[in-house]
């Protein structure tokens, strides 16, 4: 029961947080990008790419919340594991472009671990529940 609540909490917080980040990329793209950890922020017409990131972040969050709301916990677990590759990729990108190591590991790496943990817990729920023996009527 406790692991189920942890998985639900991590999923809910993760979904809401990435939607918040996405909205920030739409409202104030350059200011939001400054905290990403890269050494340079797009300027001029290149700022449009930050809006694309915002839309994708919002959609990612809506997928998580939609699966959570419809109680598709196994599918949510698979989606969370797949989604954990995004912050991992962000971490790798920041590191490969000589960005902030602290942000790469402390923000993106930590996020990847939490999202993957939620995914594993959600997938594990199904395995645990399917191995429990059903009650036999006497």
């Amino acid at each position: 029961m406790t692991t189920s609540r942890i998985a639900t909490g991590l999923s809910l917080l993760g979904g809401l947080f990435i939607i918040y980040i996405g909205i920030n990329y739409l409202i104030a793209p350059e200011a939001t990008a400054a905290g990403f950890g890269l050494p340079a922020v797009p300027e001029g017409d290149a700022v449009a790419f930050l809006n694309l990131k915002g839309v994708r972040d919002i959609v990612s969050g809506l997928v998580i919340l939609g699966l959570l709301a419809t109680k598709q916990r196994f599918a949510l677990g698979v989606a969370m594991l797949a989604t954990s590759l995004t912050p991992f990729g962000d971490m790798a990108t920041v590191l490969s472009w000589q960005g902030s190591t602290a942000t790469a590991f402390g923000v993106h790496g930590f996020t990847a671990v939490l999202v993957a943990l939620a995914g594993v817990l959600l997938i594990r729920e199904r395995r645990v529940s399917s191995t429990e023996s059903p009650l036999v009527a006497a």
Side-chain angles (χ1 to χ4, degrees):
M1 183 74 135
T2 303
T3 56
S4 177
R5 287 185 180 184
I6 291 170
T8 299
L10 287 173
S11 299
L12 182 61
L13 289 174
L16 291 173
F17 184 70
I18 199 61
I19 289 171
Y20 170 77
I21 295 296
I23 291 169
N24 282 330
Y25 270 103
L26 294 177
I27 294 171
E30 292 165 318
T32 304
F36 193 81
L38 290 172
V41 175
E43 297 175 0
D45 290 342
V47 171
F49 282 100
L50 299 176
N51 290 121
L52 295 173
K53 180 180 174 1
V55 170
R56 283 163 175 72
D57 285 352
I58 291 169
V59 171
S60 294
L62 290 174
V63 168
I64 291 168
L65 295 181
L67 289 170
L68 189 60
T70 58
K71 300 180 181 179
Q72 301 296 316
R73 296 182 70 81
F74 183 79
L76 176 59
V78 172
M80 294 293 280
L81 282 177
T83 301
S84 72
L85 296 175
T86 300
F88 179 79
D90 293 345
M91 178 186 73
T93 299
V94 169
L95 292 172
S96 68
W97 284 89
Q98 289 75 43
S100 167
T101 304
T103 302
F105 289 112
V107 174
H108 303 298
F110 184 65
T111 299
V113 169
L114 289 179
V115 173
L117 173 64
V120 168
L121 292 176
L122 287 158
I123 289 171
R124 189 173 175 272
E125 281 180 11
R126 181 173 178 183
R127 190 180 61 186
V128 169
S129 66
S130 67
T131 60
E132 293 174 355
S133 59
L135 295 177
V136 179

